[in-house]
Amino acid sequence: MTSPDIDVHAPPAPGERVVLFLHGGGYLSWSAHPHFLMGKHSRGLLAHIPSVHRALAVEYRLTDISPRAMSEAERHPFPTALLDALSGLDYLLNGLGFAMENVIVVGDSAGANLALALARHLVENIQELHARVPEKFPSATEVPRYYLLLLSAWSDMGTSHAGKGTSAERNVDDYLVDIFKGPLGEASKRYPGPLGVEAAEKHEYISPASKNIDVSFKGFPRTFIEVGDIDRFYDMVGTLRQRMVRDIGEGRDGVRYFEAKGAVHDHLLFPFSEPEDKAVLEAIGDWVEGDK
């Protein structure tokens, strides 16, 4: 998706930033196509971040939980989606020529889970990235300070945020009915694939906000975390925020947080809370453009 006067394949203009968008859908459904529902996220960002003129939405392979997916490989479990996200990033950096520090990695819901996994992969493999593409990763110890935008992050695929009094139970006005059963519950079993079902409870790439493990976020980039206060994911996003603030701090180069009042899960996709939607997008634009 691009602004009307931009060639999608053109090298970046001076100061141009770009969105790498990873869509939600529980790793089971939805699409990155700009005319699909999820395209609203990219359109909103293009309209509110002046230095962004195009967005690459990755059509990553979805996890198949149907009986017809006979083999594990056919189900596209972890790390299939992560490999596809990496391919998208590689295209922006080495295909088009963007600098890492001008990339805005955006994910909503399961896409935010994937964005967190991508960030962790970069941190854990920085020495290899430096050796292979030193012009894009000039340091062997630190990833360039890009942008990480997390919307309604599904940051705990396990059950550590379940139980009486939790947002998963009390936020009954959210359209998500049960985040531990049905399709999302099945996804939490299938998506970990070769890591085993227990990975949903105790793996930093799958559930970085799980209370069953203590996960480090040292080396992560500046991050904007957004969630609605009646989102069933509210509590897990709160845990994620606390851990990231502990490890990378708050403010311009740490964590920025926005809590949308009266807003449901992934509310920017729907016309439920338009005043809050506008405020969120304006805050994101200010966060990105604050460097200028």
Side-chain angles (χ1 to χ4, degrees):
M1 182 180 295
T2 65
S3 298
D5 57 343
I6 298 292
D7 178 359
V8 67
H9 301 296
E16 182 185 355
R17 296 187 176 99
V18 66
V19 165
L20 177 66
F21 177 60
L22 306 171
H23 70 84
Y27 286 115
L28 302 174
S29 60
W30 304 109
S31 169
H33 195 283
H35 297 302
F36 206 68
L37 175 65
M38 296 298 176
K40 187 177 179 183
H41 279 310
S42 295
R43 290 192 294 273
L45 295 172
L46 284 169
H48 286 85
I49 308 177
S51 60
V52 172
H53 304 296
R54 45 187 153 171
L56 174 62
V58 179
E59 197 76 84
Y60 61 85
R61 286 165 287 181
L62 300 173
T63 300
D64 193 340
I65 63 173
S66 67
R68 68 175 178 271
M70 301 300 293
S71 71
E72 186 173 273
E74 290 176 314
R75 295 190 181 108
H76 302 311
F78 178 88
T80 307
L82 176 56
L83 295 174
D84 293 342
L86 284 165
S87 294
L89 179 61
D90 178 72
Y91 173 71
L92 293 179
L93 299 181
N94 299 310
L96 294 183
F98 278 94
M100 187 69 206
E101 54 264 32
N102 287 330
V103 175
I104 307 169
V105 179
V106 182
D108 66 308
S109 195
N113 181 287
L114 181 54
L116 284 162
L118 176 61
R120 188 166 301 280
H121 176 86
L122 295 178
V123 169
E124 293 184 353
N125 293 276
I126 184 59
Q127 290 185 349
E128 181 179 352
L129 291 166
H130 168 70
R132 291 191 175 195
V133 278
E135 68 278 11
K136 299 297 180 181
F137 297 90
S139 170
T141 59
E142 184 176 346
V143 179
R145 299 289 288 175
Y146 63 103
Y147 302 79
L148 182 61
L149 172 55
L150 308 173
L151 308 171
S152 294
W154 191 18
S155 47
D156 181 6
M157 294 182 70
T159 58
S160 76
H161 287 88
K164 188 174 182 179
T166 65
S167 62
E169 181 190 74
R170 72 176 181 269
N171 285 348
V172 295
D173 291 329
D174 194 4
Y175 63 89
L176 291 180
V177 177
D178 192 330
I179 63 176
F180 304 109
K181 297 180 181 178
L184 288 183
E186 192 63 27
S188 69
K189 297 175 185 176
R190 300 282 192 173
Y191 178 70
L195 298 176
V197 294
E198 64 276 6
E201 303 288 347
K202 296 184 177 182
H203 199 282
E204 65 272 20
Y205 273 81
I206 306 293
S207 295
S210 172
K211 294 180 180 180
N212 295 318
I213 49 173
D214 186 18
V215 177
S216 173
F217 291 89
K218 291 180 180 179
F220 270 57
R222 65 190 80 177
T223 301
F224 192 108
I225 298 175
E226 193 277 336
V227 68
D229 65 353
I230 59 174
D231 190 334
R232 288 193 189 260
F233 288 179
Y234 179 85
D235 285 356
M236 68 176 73
V237 172
T239 300
L240 175 70
R241 175 195 179 192
Q242 291 170 6
R243 291 179 173 180
M244 295 194 77
V245 167
R246 175 198 66 194
D247 292 337
I248 66 173
E250 291 184 285
R252 177 70 198 145
D253 287 324
V255 174
R256 291 280 184 91
Y257 176 73
F258 193 107
E259 185 175 303
K261 305 303 179 185
V264 298
H265 179 71
D266 213 355
H267 64 95
L268 291 175
L269 293 177
F270 310 105
F272 299 154
S273 51
E274 290 184 359
E276 285 292 273
D277 293 354
K278 187 173 186 294
V280 171
L281 290 169
E282 288 178 347
I284 292 169
D286 291 343
W287 171 66
V288 173
E289 298 296 334
D291 278 348
K292 290 187 177 290

